[in-house]
């Protein structure tokens, strides 16, 4: 049976988000996953438009896309660290690929994304109990908002109740090193949201930190058409073709769909505690009443994982 999955992505500061979406479409073509929707957790319209472009290219324009819009990216204190990071990398010549891909797409497709929180609640309410996998490969902002949400026309349940009833597992791509460590990007850019989700998620939670040394993308120019938006994302972000990037987000969605397989070893008897003030975390022995927490330890070699990811990313030219 296909895994019911929602992707939560920033799809802004790195191209592995686009690669992860390509992997999901390849797995959907194989009947392994049903992509229920995509929520963009950065309130920047070209992110959602880029997702729409990729979904359309892969033949699934009907997949709903949401844009979390609770606070303004340009002015909210929540995004101060994110704005500083954007300024620093843009000063080094980095380009936002979603500005090109998203704006090109919307020129011929005027559809607008749904509001991200509303989409989360609508999708979850419509699914069987304990059936939905959420893979978060960006900030945890939208998920914090979901947990704090109240009953609405979609469901009489609070967000916390809705998650506890409908979600099978959350997979968070983040620097959750075992047995302790410090955040890097996905959690660091919104530490309050990371603490709310990591410490209080009322359903099973898995942490995937791997991908730094699993390099993919070099074959995209040789295997994919120039108009393929995933190829374009890599070329714009990396400043040329034939170059690779780490595969953090692709490995997270691969686990979300296929589970550990031969790729990972699961450590299941610990709980993670995250400190929003310092960005540090520790893994501790879990209490018996805590929903399951999983640390994913890599099992397969880099080259094996890279081959799997690259094949899925290039399955549709």
């Amino acid at each position: 049976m296909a895994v019911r999955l929602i992707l939560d992505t920033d799809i802004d500061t790195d191209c592995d988000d686009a690669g992860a979406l390509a992997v999901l479409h390849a797995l959907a073509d194989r009947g392994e996953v049903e992509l229920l929707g995509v929520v963009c957790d950065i309130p920047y319209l070209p992110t959602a438009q880029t997702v729409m472009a990729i979904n359309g290219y892969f033949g699934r324009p009907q997949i709903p896309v949401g844009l979390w819009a609770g606070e303004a990216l340009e002015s909210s204190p929540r995004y101060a660290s994110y704005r500083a990071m954007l300024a620093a990398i843009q000063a080094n010549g980095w380009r936002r690929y979603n500005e090109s891909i998203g704006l090109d797409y919307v020129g011929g497709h005027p559809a607008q994304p749904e509001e991200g929180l509303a989409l989360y609640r609508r999708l979850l309410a419509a699914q069987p109990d304990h059936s939905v996998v959420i893979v978060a490969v960006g900030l945890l902002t939208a998920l914090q908002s979901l947990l704090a949400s109240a009953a609405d026309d979609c469901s009489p349940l609070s967000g916390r109740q809705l998650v506890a009833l409908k979600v099978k597992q959350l997979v968070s791509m983040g620097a959750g090193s075992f047995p302790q460590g410090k955040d890097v990007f996905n959690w660091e850019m919104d530490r309050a949201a990371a603490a709310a989700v990591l410490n209080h998620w009322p359903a099973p939670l898995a942490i995937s930190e791997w991908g730094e040394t699993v390099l993919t993308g070099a074959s995209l120019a040789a295997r994919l058409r120039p108009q393929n938006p995933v190829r374009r994302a890599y070329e714009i972000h990396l400043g040329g073709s034939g170059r690779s990037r780490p595969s953090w987000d692709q490995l997270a969605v691969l686990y979300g769909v296929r589970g550990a397989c031969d790729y990972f070893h699961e450590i299941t008897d610990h709980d993670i505690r995250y400190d929003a003030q310092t960005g540090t975390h520790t893994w501790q022995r879990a209490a018996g009443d805590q929903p399951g927490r999983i640390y994913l330890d890599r099992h397969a070699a880099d080259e094996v994982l890279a081959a799997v990811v690259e094949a899925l990313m290039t399955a549709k030219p």
Side-chain angles (χ1 to χ4, degrees), residues 57-58 220 223-229 231 313-317:
Y57 185 85
F58 282 86
L220 300 189
R223 299 185 184 183
L224 304 182
R225 299 186 182 101
Q227 65 269 30
N228 184 307
R231 172 181 168 176
M313 286 174 59
T314 57
K316 179 180 176 63

Side-chain angles (χ1 to χ4, degrees), residues 89-280:
I89 59 180
Q90 287 177 322
N92 291 328
W94 169 82
R95 294 175 59 199
R96 268 177 151 165
Y97 61 87
N98 50 39
E99 290 182 341
S100 297
I101 296 171
L103 294 177
D104 286 351
Y105 175 80
V106 80
H109 304 79
Q112 294 293 304
E114 297 183 41
E115 196 283 316
L117 174 58
L119 179 59
Y120 254 132
R121 290 188 58 86
R122 179 172 71 82
L123 292 176
L124 289 176
Q127 300 306 311
D129 295 351
H130 310 297
S131 68
V132 178
V133 173
I134 300 173
V135 180
V137 295
L139 282 63
L140 299 182
T141 309
L143 289 173
Q144 179 193 26
S145 179
L146 171 62
L147 287 179
S149 64
D152 59 9
D153 291 341
C154 292
S155 172
L157 302 178
S158 69
R160 183 171 298 277
Q161 292 169 330
L162 195 58
V163 166
L165 183 63
K166 299 294 184 176
V167 174
K168 179 181 180 181
Q169 184 179 58
L170 167 65
V171 182
S172 174
M173 192 279 119
S177 302
F178 188 92
Q180 61 188 15
K182 189 177 186 303
D183 57 17
V184 179
F185 179 81
N186 287 349
W187 300 348
E188 181 184 17
M189 290 295 103
D190 191 343
R191 285 178 169 171
V197 174
L198 297 173
N199 294 339
H200 305 292
W201 187 254
L205 166 66
I207 306 300
S208 174
E209 69 166 328
W210 299 104
E212 176 76 29
T213 57
V214 180
L215 302 179
T216 58
S219 73
L220 300 189
R223 299 185 184 183
L224 304 182
R225 299 186 182 101
Q227 65 269 30
N228 184 307
V230 177
R231 172 181 168 176
R232 290 186 62 205
Y234 272 72
E235 289 179 346
I236 293 170
H237 183 75
L238 299 176
S241 61
R243 301 177 182 179
S244 297
R245 278 294 289 162
S247 303
W248 297 289
D249 294 354
Q250 295 96 320
L251 293 186
V253 299
L254 193 63
Y255 172 78
V257 176
R258 292 183 173 175
C261 290
D262 294 326
Y263 310 141
F264 303 101
H265 170 67
E266 297 175 323
I267 297 177
T268 60
D269 57 352
H270 283 66
D271 182 25
I272 188 170
R273 304 306 297 173
Y274 176 85
D275 187 330
Q277 297 301 314
T278 63
T280 59

Side-chain angles (χ1 to χ4, degrees), residues 29-96:
D29 288 341
R30 298 176 182 214
E32 296 184 46
V33 67
E34 179 186 357
L35 185 54
L36 300 175
V38 181
V39 175
C40 299
D41 53 60
I42 294 295
Y44 181 58
L45 184 57
T47 62
Q49 292 167 342
T50 297
V51 171
M52 292 177 181
I54 295 173
N55 290 347
Y57 185 85
F58 282 86
R60 295 183 177 86
Q62 77 283 359
I63 292 175
V65 178
L67 180 67
W68 189 84
E71 299 180 34
L73 178 63
E74 298 80 7
S75 58
S76 171
R78 177 189 290 270
Y79 292 110
S81 296
Y82 196 88
R83 290 193 299 271
M85 180 275 305
L86 283 176
I89 59 180
Q90 287 177 322
N92 291 328
W94 169 82
R95 294 175 59 199
R96 268 177 151 165

